[in-house]
Structure formats: structure tokens, C-alpha cells
Amino acid sequence: MALINIPKIRNCTKCGKVFASMHGERVCKDCIQQEKDFEEQVIKYIRDNPGSSVKEVMEATGATEKMMKRMMQDGIFSNAAVKHDENATYPCMSCGRPITSGTYCMDCLSRLRDQTRKAAEAMQIRIKEDKSMSTIERLDKLAEKEFERENRMSGIKRNFSRGMFKDR
């Protein structure tokens, strides 16, 4: 049986118009297009006036600080296009340090890369170990893990049946 994506009827969060949301959109197509057109105006202003501060761009175009920060985060224009000032930063998603582009600061990006590399190396080691095992050994290992999981689950079920997790 094929799944059919049935649209949900919603009100646009910007203009209030009723529209059919197919993929969880909160804004109607007209408002999305208006926002894209407005972004194009901001980009055109920055192209025509390189080195403008964020405040100057906001005053000249009517763009909001939130919109400017989102555009910087999305990498729509480079840091060189807009002069760095106190409004040209937003917090890193990990540590909160002020950044001017992307989602993470360079330190957090470096830490994430290291963690990813270590996880990939650990996966490679595990894959090599699994390849060196026979099928019987792999099945035994899986059965052992399943047995441990079942024991934990039966302990939790016992505690529920004894009333240890009832509201007090």
C-alpha cells in the first residue's frame, strides 16, 4: 500500500492566509516568494554598496536583524561584503561564542571534526573485528547483547509491576 501525503490546511504564520501544507511548511508560497524577493533586494544593495555595516543595510532596505543574521548564517553573502560590527554576529550553536558565518565557531568545528574522525576510526576497528569473526561468533555476540537487553527490560517490568514508578 503506497503512502499518500495528504496536505494539512494551515494558516500562514506571516499573513494568516489559509493554505495547504504538504511538508510541514508554516508559511504560504506567496510569503516565501516575498521573502526571496526581499532577500534579493538586500543582496543587490550589498553588491552596490560593498562594505556597508549591517545597520546601514537594515536602514536602507528595511531588513530585520533576524533576517540579516539568518542570511549570514546561510552564507548568502561573505563577511567581506558587510562590515563587521556588533550586529553582524550571532552565537555558535555549541558554545555560544559570537560568529559571523556558519553554525559553529572554528573551535567547535575542529572539536566536531575530531569527534567524527575518532568515531569513524572506532567504526573501522569494529568492522575489522566483525570481519575477522565467523558467522557463528557474530550470532553468539548478537544473542548475548539481546539476552542482556532482555534482562534489563525484565528488571524494568518487575519494578513497574511492584509499583516502584507510580506517581506519589
Side-chain angles (χ1 to χ4, degrees):
M1 183 174 162
L3 293 174
I4 299 171
N5 194 5
I6 299 171
K8 293 185 178 173
I9 304 301
R10 292 188 170 189
N11 288 83
C12 175
T13 57
K14 285 194 169 205
C15 69
K17 183 173 82 176
V18 175
F19 74 103
S21 173
M22 290 295 288
H23 305 287
E25 303 92 348
R26 300 170 141 256
V27 181
C28 69
K29 288 181 182 179
D30 293 338
C31 288
I32 289 172
Q33 188 58 51
Q34 285 176 351
E35 181 133 342
K36 285 181 182 178
D37 293 344
F38 192 57
E39 284 179 3
E40 285 299 320
Q41 290 175 359
V42 171
I43 292 167
K44 183 181 181 322
Y45 179 84
I46 292 169
R47 236 185 254 129
D48 294 344
N49 301 283
S52 298
S53 70
V54 171
K55 190 173 185 175
E56 291 169 342
V57 174
M58 288 170 29
E59 288 172 358
T61 63
T64 63
E65 185 176 336
K66 182 179 177 181
M67 179 184 175
M68 292 295 293
K69 286 181 180 181
R70 183 181 46 75
M71 290 176 75
M72 287 190 307
Q73 188 172 10
D74 291 347
I76 292 176
F77 45 81
S78 70
N79 297 342
V82 178
K83 199 184 324 171
H84 181 73
D85 62 15
E86 70 279 352
N87 291 324
T89 63
Y90 51 91
C92 166
M93 290 288 282
S94 181
C95 70
R97 182 181 299 151
I99 56 175
T100 57
S101 66
T103 307
Y104 299 100
C105 67
M106 294 309 277
D107 291 339
C108 291
L109 268 177
S110 178
R111 190 178 69 251
L112 288 169
R113 278 190 205 110
D114 289 344
Q115 290 172 349
T116 303
R117 183 182 40 75
K118 286 177 184 173
E121 288 170 359
M123 288 293 287
Q124 289 297 327
I125 290 169
R126 187 169 175 202
I127 288 169
K128 285 179 185 176
E129 287 173 356
D130 282 352
K131 284 183 179 179
S132 67
M133 283 187 204
S134 70
T135 304
I136 300 289
E137 289 172 319
R138 269 191 238 131
L139 288 173
D140 284 344
K141 193 173 181 181
L142 285 171
E144 187 177 308
K145 285 181 181 178
E146 183 63 21
F147 180 74
E148 289 171 5
R149 191 183 74 76
E150 283 297 320
N151 280 339
R152 281 194 310 272
M153 292 304 292
S154 65
I156 291 170
K157 289 175 188 173
R158 248 190 330 273
N159 289 336
F160 268 110
S161 67
R162 290 182 186 157
M164 294 180 82
F165 293 108
K166 287 185 179 173
D167 291 336
R168 294 178 184 166

